[in-house]
Amino acid sequence: MTQPHLPHIPNVLAIAGSDPSGGAGIQADIKAICANGGYAMAAITALTAQSTRGVSDIRLLPPAFVAAQIAAVLADIRVDAIKIGMLGTAEITEAIAKALRDHPAPVILDTVMRPKGGNTLLATDALPPLRDLLLPICDIVTPNLPEAAVLLGCAEATSRAEMEAQARALRDLGARAVYLKGGHLAAEDCPDLFFTDAPLWIEAPRIATKNTHGTGCTLASALATQRAHGLPPAEAAKAAKAYTLGAIRAADGLSVGQGHGPTDHFFAMRK
């Protein structure tokens, strides 16, 4: 009897810091990649002491060891997409950019700078190598509005028109596409902007919940996995947004922590 044809399972490498509470960082990356049908791999940039109430301590790994983790995976395993989260320092940023410079897989960069509470996750001197070395090799960069303002050295966008202008400016820094998250916009809805040569608004209602810990990590990892499946960037962005919304909506079924709780990455499996 012939064996049934099995679907292709893409391999996705997440490069990020560790969150021991499981809601953000590499733990959220792994959950989101698996929930979106990928095989998750991980290279750690930092260890954090954090919970749903914030980050209290950070231990950064040596840049050479971060690069060694990436090199070990790339030398042995077909990697179909790469997601980058917490970078920490200029030296780690430079090491990652060098390690990925010639790899063909699409790179999704989540510009993690500060969690909802606690320490800064990106040193100020890491901004130049992030802009000059990482952005040009990115398929999609996924900042929120405060992060976009820091990257561009300007005020935070307060309207859709300003979001479009900032997305265009970020795209001009070298990334092939920009997914600008509009959650910080003072609006009843929660519009995200996907920008390549023209704006594409991905609309969504604003969900009243405190369970939003790790949503940026979750979205970027889902986006990377959808790109690894072969979806075009805009379609991958829509799929990632829909998945993240589902995880947020289902999060009230979890009981994790006393602060900003995590999303339910495996909500579809529980239905």
Side-chain angles (χ1 to χ4, degrees):
M1 180 181 296
T2 59
Q3 294 294 321
H5 176 71
L6 297 177
H8 167 69
I9 299 174
N11 301 323
V12 181
L13 173 62
I15 304 170
S18 170
D19 170 13
S21 75
I26 210 74
Q27 288 83 349
D29 295 336
I30 290 171
K31 293 173 188 176
I33 291 166
C34 294
N36 280 267
Y39 174 78
M41 302 171 289
I44 310 296
T45 59
L47 304 176
T48 71
Q50 69 173 291
S51 67
T52 63
R53 293 186 289 187
V55 179
S56 58
D57 201 0
I58 297 171
R59 293 291 184 269
L60 296 163
L61 295 183
F65 185 69
V66 175
Q69 293 176 76
I70 297 168
V73 172
L74 297 184
D76 178 50
I77 302 168
R78 184 198 74 248
V79 176
D80 300 300
I82 299 164
K83 180 265 179 183
I84 303 174
M86 179 183 173
L87 296 165
T89 66
E91 292 77 14
I92 292 175
T93 304
E94 291 165 359
I96 292 171
K98 183 178 180 181
L100 300 179
R101 185 169 52 201
D102 299 320
H103 199 275
V107 175
I108 311 301
L109 172 62
D110 181 21
T111 51
V112 178
M113 295 182 184
R114 183 180 290 276
K116 289 180 174 64
N119 291 300
T120 298
L121 302 181
L122 184 72
T124 302
D125 66 357
L127 287 172
L130 189 159
R131 283 190 294 250
D132 299 339
L133 301 178
L134 268 187
L135 279 181
I137 66 172
C138 283
D139 189 53
I140 305 170
V141 59
T142 67
N144 59 29
L145 298 188
E147 292 162 353
V150 171
L151 288 169
L152 295 170
C154 65
E156 186 176 324
T158 58
S159 68
R160 291 192 182 220
E162 290 178 356
M163 283 181 67
E164 287 193 21
Q166 292 191 11
R168 185 182 299 275
L170 286 168
R171 204 282 310 270
D172 289 344
L173 290 177
R176 297 179 186 89
V178 176
Y179 188 116
L180 185 55
K181 297 174 287 192
H184 288 80
L185 201 66
E188 291 184 2
D189 56 353
C190 187
D192 292 347
L193 174 60
F194 185 79
F195 190 92
T196 50
D197 296 320
L200 170 66
W201 288 98
I202 305 176
E203 308 287 352
R206 188 175 295 276
I207 300 170
T209 180
K210 68 174 185 175
N211 295 325
T212 55
H213 182 52
T215 49
C217 310
T218 297
L219 175 77
S221 294
L223 183 48
T225 310
Q226 294 298 335
R227 286 291 288 127
H229 280 299
L231 282 187
E235 296 306 310
K238 293 176 186 177
K241 174 75 168 185
Y243 164 75
T244 305
L245 278 173
I248 294 171
R249 286 194 180 103
D252 286 342
L254 299 175
S255 179
V256 181
Q258 302 171 53
H260 291 282
T263 66
D264 184 0
H265 292 91
F266 296 109
F267 67 94
M269 182 181 71
R270 302 187 208 286
K271 289 183 178 179

